[in-house]
Amino acid sequence: MTRRPLLLMLMACAAVLAQQQLLLRQPPRLLRLVPQQVQSGSAALDLQFSRPMNRPRVNEATRITPTVPHQWLGETTPLRMVIDAEVVLTAPLELSIAGADQRGLPLGEQQWWWDPRPWLIATRPVPGGEQVQLQTRSGEWMPISRVWPAIPSVVPLGNGRGIALVGRDQNGTEQVWWDQLKPRSTANRLAALGPPTLSRTEPLLKGEVLFAHLSSNLNGDLLVQSGGFQPGSDQALLLQADGKRKALALKPSGPMQLLPAGGGVVMPTYDGLSLRPLQATEQKPQMLPGSRELGAFCGASGRAVLVRHWPDYRRSIELVVPGQAPKQLHLGDQAVLGVACDNRGKRIWAVLGRWEQQRGNHELVLISDAGEMTQRRVLAPWTLKAGSPIQWNPVTNQLLMTLTRPNQSHARAGLIDSDSLKLIKVINTPISEAQWLHAG
């Protein structure tokens, strides 16, 4: 009676050991490719393998077409391939992935395609109101939201896997919705690459709100600030990329912005700007006193650009480096209508404007982190649409702006070379606002 259970146990252990030996002799496999947003290069891709890999062997055996400078990071799995910051991509990359794991077993060569270029999305006027649409590589427009009477706000999620929007009905009340997108920026066939597809649409808040403000970080987390019709109904809700929800006990005096790398939020107060962690810690919030507003984050480098308002109506542009006092880059009597910066905070773009002869005169300038104005270009006959962002993308090294001109009822999307500030192209499609959507 005691021998049979013991025999069965021994047989089970032998089967497990045999299975382990069989698995150990199997070659490594490439499980998935996951694009990443980084500040050290123009684009990055994580490669997840079934086994810990030998990074030098993978680096030596893998080929990229066209050949672009890059580096490999990581020790086992995943390994991260980072395209150098100076690289400008105009087409997809072909990857011939090969190498060996740490036991020396070879990885069979695999062919993949990767297109890290962003997608241009815009709020467009359509019959019945407005709709968020995406422009394909061929120039056609495809819808990625339902039609609303008005869409006052759209925020692409930082991981490229969706958009959040505020839709307004005929009564002026607002709702917050989320459109989940399925990226197609990596594929084993070139023909399988394409724009993301809409997979799900759902409301993020129950019912209607009086107002809502949205912010996202590179992880894909979403901060929703909203206020209802009853006193004390204001709330700040953090919707994490993994689906978890967390109410934040914060009382800001205006719209908050999530830090790109995650973990914190910039909150306006009546005394200035406050940098606070999202998780409760003993660390005191950092304060920047004075009449300042956040202009732009510089990727995930921790740097940011602020716009400061002075009592004599002058405006200054400041660069904030973690652990240092704000550094003034520009001071003048022109209005600062918008700012942007590259991932490392080395290049800062700004649109300066003043009213002359009953019309706005807008100028785009490029400023170094030392405060030197290296390029400037008048935007006439175009002007930056009031309240719209300036967005820089490292993959194409282009600025995206929402431009208006006299006698036009709707704006246009403008693509601008980040170095020369030359206007590359104005897309002749009526829009309300244009933004970049990362290739997730």
Side-chain angles (χ1 to χ4, degrees), residues 12-70:
C13 291
V16 170
L17 290 174
Q19 187 177 27
Q20 287 180 344
Q21 291 299 317
L22 180 63
L23 291 175
L24 287 173
R25 294 175 183 176
Q26 288 185 349
R29 293 176 293 114
L30 176 62
L31 300 179
R32 66 183 64 91
L33 305 176
V34 183
Q36 298 292 332
Q37 307 297 328
V38 295
Q39 80 275 10
S40 57
S42 63
L45 185 69
D46 279 2
L47 291 82
Q48 183 75 46
F49 298 92
S50 62
R51 296 284 183 185
M53 300 298 291
N54 184 318
R55 176 162 55 88
R57 294 280 299 274
V58 174
N59 181 21
E60 180 182 357
T62 297
R63 297 289 180 265
I64 303 178
T65 307
T67 303
V68 292
H70 65 282

Side-chain angles (χ1 to χ4, degrees), residues 341-361:
C341 54
D342 65 11
N343 284 335
R344 295 176 293 177
K346 298 293 185 181
R347 295 181 294 168
I348 295 89
W349 298 272
V351 172
L352 309 177
R354 60 163 54 96
W355 283 93
E356 296 177 352
Q357 299 178 352
Q358 305 300 317
R359 60 164 295 174
N361 181 21

Side-chain angles (χ1 to χ4, degrees), residues 37 41-44 85-91 114-118 343 392-398 438-439:
Q37 307 297 328
S42 63
E86 292 74 20
V87 174
V88 176
L89 299 178
T90 58
W114 174 37
D115 190 355
R117 293 175 297 170
N343 284 335
W392 173 76
N393 185 270
V395 183
T396 58
N397 194 33
Q398 291 177 343
H438 293 308

Side-chain angles (χ1 to χ4, degrees), residues 160-162 180-185 194-199:
R161 296 182 176 271
Q180 184 181 19
L181 300 173
K182 183 178 180 180
R184 293 192 296 155
S185 59
T197 57
L198 182 62
S199 59

